[in-house]
Amino acid sequence: YDIDDEIKINIRSETDYDKSTGMSVWKGSEVMCTYLRQNSDVVNNKKVLELGAGCGLCGLVCRMALNPESVLITDGDHQVLINLRYNVELNGLQLADAATLKSSNATISCPQLIWGKNHAIKFAEQYGKQDVIVATDCVYIPQSVSPLFETINELLDPSGLFLFVNTCASACPMEDVLNIATEFGFDCFDDELWYHDDDREKKKHPVHVFRRRKEV
């Protein structure tokens, strides 16, 4: 994945390694990367968390090109995490742990994060609240949406953003995601939907920007 003539990101994916949804670079991550590069202020000097990261493309783009304070690239699957850490080191980056993430030059880490309130509470004790949470093509069934927002609710800073895009075939309609987001106190406004150039005409696969609902 080429950022520009100077910055190129190397990714080991399923064609090189293993047949798994988490070992693939999905379209959603490429759409999100384009959004982040065109809206770099969203992550500049921010704490960024990628959920269900798969190969970790979004987190790597943030770390290598967009000047975040820190980046956590997470997944729940152990094999995916092994590949995530491989991809980080493949790009010449030093992995940090919770203790060294703030105190060293190693501003990227790949911890396991299983979705759900209890897991998220424990994760927050180690890594704290995050300014920006990113998720792409990682919701396949309706039953996973509530654990997703339980996780976001615990880990997102009160003034933070949750960025979500889904381009893959899914048994979970976007309407379900929006309804459950509302139940957890998150709003997404139509005027903030962002479309990739390839999808703008057909209004397909927008990046959704979720914010916590402000108390009146």
Side-chain angles (χ1 to χ4, degrees):
Y1 185 89
D2 293 350
I3 300 292
D4 53 35
D5 290 339
E6 295 183 1
I7 302 176
K8 301 181 188 301
I9 295 177
N10 298 303
I11 295 287
R12 180 173 70 173
S13 63
E14 65 168 353
T15 55
D16 311 305
Y17 187 47
D18 185 21
K19 296 293 182 182
S20 164
T21 55
M23 303 297 183
S24 303
V25 177
W26 293 83
K27 178 182 177 179
S29 63
E30 296 178 337
V31 170
M32 183 65 75
C33 286
T34 304
Y35 168 83
L36 292 169
R37 290 169 59 194
Q38 292 184 11
N39 299 272
S40 58
D41 58 306
V42 168
V43 296
N44 183 44
N45 289 319
K46 300 292 198 309
K47 297 177 182 176
V48 180
L49 165 64
E50 184 177 6
L51 300 177
C55 293
L57 179 60
C58 293
L60 285 167
V61 166
C62 287
R63 172 60 182 81
M64 295 178 69
L66 303 178
N67 193 40
E69 178 179 325
S70 62
V71 177
L72 298 170
I73 309 180
T74 68
D75 207 280
D77 184 282
H78 282 290
Q79 284 298 113
V80 172
L81 285 169
I82 290 170
N83 193 51
L84 268 176
R85 291 164 185 155
Y86 177 91
N87 283 336
V88 168
E89 294 178 338
L90 183 65
N91 287 279
L93 301 173
Q94 181 184 351
L95 278 165
D97 57 25
T100 60
L101 193 62
K102 295 180 181 178
S103 61
S104 73
N105 291 326
T107 55
I108 189 166
S109 186
C110 300
Q112 183 182 41
L113 177 55
I114 298 170
W115 297 352
K117 182 175 180 177
N118 292 334
H119 294 295
I121 289 172
K122 292 178 182 178
F123 190 90
E125 290 171 357
Q126 283 190 289
Y127 294 98
K129 300 282 187 179
Q130 304 296 308
D131 300 309
V132 181
I133 298 180
V134 176
T136 68
D137 287 344
C138 58
V139 175
Y140 308 110
I141 56 174
Q143 292 87 337
S144 63
V145 182
S146 286
L148 170 65
F149 276 96
E150 287 176 3
T151 303
I152 295 160
N153 196 41
E154 294 298 329
L155 294 178
L156 188 63
D157 185 83
S159 60
L161 300 178
F162 170 49
L163 308 175
F164 178 82
V165 64
N166 187 74
T167 67
C168 64
S170 172
C172 181
M174 191 62 210
E175 184 179 355
D176 288 3
V177 176
L178 294 171
N179 287 340
I180 291 176
T182 299
E183 291 175 13
F184 278 87
F186 289 90
D187 290 325
C188 176
F189 299 104
D190 288 347
D191 62 356
E192 287 193 295
L193 294 177
W194 182 92
Y195 293 92
H196 191 278
D197 288 344
D198 295 343
D199 300 317
R200 186 171 291 114
E201 185 176 344
K202 295 183 179 180
K203 298 292 185 183
K204 291 170 55 180
H205 313 315
V207 173
H208 292 76
V209 180
F210 290 92
R211 305 171 189 270
R212 290 188 191 274
R213 189 173 307 121
K214 294 182 179 179
E215 298 295 333
V216 179

